[in-house]
Amino acid sequence: MSVLKKELSFAGSCSDVLVIIPTYNESENITRVIERVFMLYPNGLDILVIDDNSPDGTADMVMTLQQAHEGLYLMRRSCKQGLGTAYLAGFRFALQENYRYIIEMDADFSHDPEMISSLLGGMNGADLVIGSRYLHNTVNVVNWPLSRLILSKMASIYTRMITGMPVFDPTSGFKCFSLEVLKGLDLDRVNSEGYSFQIEMNFRAWKKGFVIHEVPIVFTDRTVGKSKMTKKNIREAVWIVWLLKIKSIAGVL
């Protein structure tokens, strides 16, 4: 696989916490979410936006914000490459810069920036903290159509049944990794996307013996912009759990 040229610009900071926000056509949300995070946690964290050449000018908006915010980083990729590869690029940057905690977060306010503190608080005694919509079989989702809620909930149950992984919300994309987890996983072996990427990262961390905690969050569906979920993501999530289980049994995970 060829490596596409990336552009990385930054203002510089020395925080222990990196929030990674992948974007594609998020011009309606990106300024608000960045300003909100920095307002809630002044001087307490850095943000890395990874933009897949959004035609709506998302990256240009981030570059403008960099003039006002230290610790705001931008990775511009030449084309749309998907959520999984974006997070992997962000993880490698976090490893390079030696961040202690690395947070995954969406740009559309479905992940409440105020809950970042809960993720970090949950890291006491844990290696990976997941913001869970379904902790202990509760349902904390707002504005989703019933069909999507059922699909998401059933995917969580299905994943737990097949893999045996003790996680109530394995497809959640709001989570915090310790640096030790990213160092302990072979990121070159992770190649799934969407729901599947979240499942695979959780499963690999669990199988390595890392401690996983979940904290409750309320997930609110985006009010502007379009969802990036595709049928391909859903199909991949169906078979990836079997692939991970088989690889684990065969000792080739």
Side-chain angles (χ1 to χ4, degrees):
M1 180 183 296
S2 61
V3 178
L4 296 174
K5 183 179 180 181
K6 297 184 286 289
E7 177 182 326
L8 185 66
S9 60
F10 57 93
S13 182
C14 56
S15 171
D16 284 339
V17 181
L18 180 68
V19 178
I20 303 174
I21 305 178
T23 56
Y24 185 75
N25 285 346
E26 291 290 355
S27 61
E28 296 174 290
N29 293 304
I30 193 61
T31 296
R32 292 188 303 123
V33 76
I34 288 173
E35 295 284 14
R36 180 65 174 163
V37 171
F38 279 132
M39 184 191 74
L40 288 170
Y41 310 98
N43 305 315
L45 49 74
D46 291 349
I47 296 175
L48 169 62
V49 176
I50 304 177
D51 186 72
D52 277 1
N53 198 28
S54 298
D56 70 349
T58 299
D60 293 333
M61 298 174 74
V62 176
M63 290 186 70
T64 298
L65 289 171
Q66 285 183 310
Q67 300 173 28
H69 296 289
E70 286 193 5
L72 177 55
Y73 295 69
L74 172 64
M75 184 181 294
R76 304 183 72 164
R77 307 201 298 177
S78 60
C79 64
K80 190 174 182 181
Q81 300 176 54
L83 183 71
T85 63
Y87 274 128
L88 290 173
F91 292 161
R92 292 186 175 98
F93 175 75
L95 287 166
Q96 173 187 315
E97 300 300 320
N98 208 39
Y99 284 93
R100 186 178 180 188
Y101 301 114
I102 301 91
I103 294 173
E104 294 183 10
M105 182 176 171
D106 288 349
D108 59 7
F109 282 98
S110 57
H111 299 151
D112 185 352
E114 291 194 11
M115 294 305 298
I116 289 174
S117 59
S118 295
L119 294 179
L120 292 170
M123 292 300 292
N124 184 21
D127 303 299
L128 166 59
V129 172
I130 299 170
S132 178
R133 300 160 292 184
Y134 310 125
L135 188 60
H136 303 305
N137 294 315
T138 58
V139 177
N140 290 313
V141 177
V142 178
N143 293 337
W144 258 6
L146 182 59
S147 59
R148 185 168 180 186
L149 176 59
I150 291 173
L151 175 65
S152 176
K153 180 63 176 176
M154 292 305 296
S156 298
I157 295 172
Y158 173 77
T159 299
R160 282 171 61 92
M161 288 178 58
I162 303 303
T163 65
M165 185 168 50
V167 173
F168 287 96
D169 193 359
T171 64
S172 172
F174 196 21
K175 61 215 300 186
C176 180
F177 293 89
S178 69
L179 178 64
E180 287 70 26
V181 172
L182 299 188
K183 285 182 175 179
L185 301 181
D186 185 352
L187 298 181
D188 290 335
R189 299 179 69 88
V190 180
N191 54 22
S192 48
E193 289 289 334
Y195 278 153
S196 301
F197 176 79
Q198 307 300 350
I199 294 169
E200 182 170 356
M201 288 297 295
N202 294 339
F203 187 78
R204 288 181 179 277
W206 177 56
K207 280 299 182 179
K208 282 283 187 177
F210 290 110
V211 177
I212 302 176
H213 288 174
E214 290 180 88
V215 296
I217 63 166
V218 176
F219 179 96
T220 303
D221 196 20
R222 66 166 62 236
T223 57
V224 295
K226 295 182 179 180
S227 172
K228 310 303 189 296
M229 180 57 60
T230 66
K231 291 182 179 180
K232 178 183 176 182
N233 295 148
I234 297 171
R235 290 194 297 268
E236 186 182 41
V238 171
W239 62 259
I240 196 68
V241 294
W242 287 102
L243 180 62
L244 292 171
K245 184 178 181 66
I246 292 169
K247 283 186 173 182
S248 176
I249 292 173
V252 294
L253 186 63

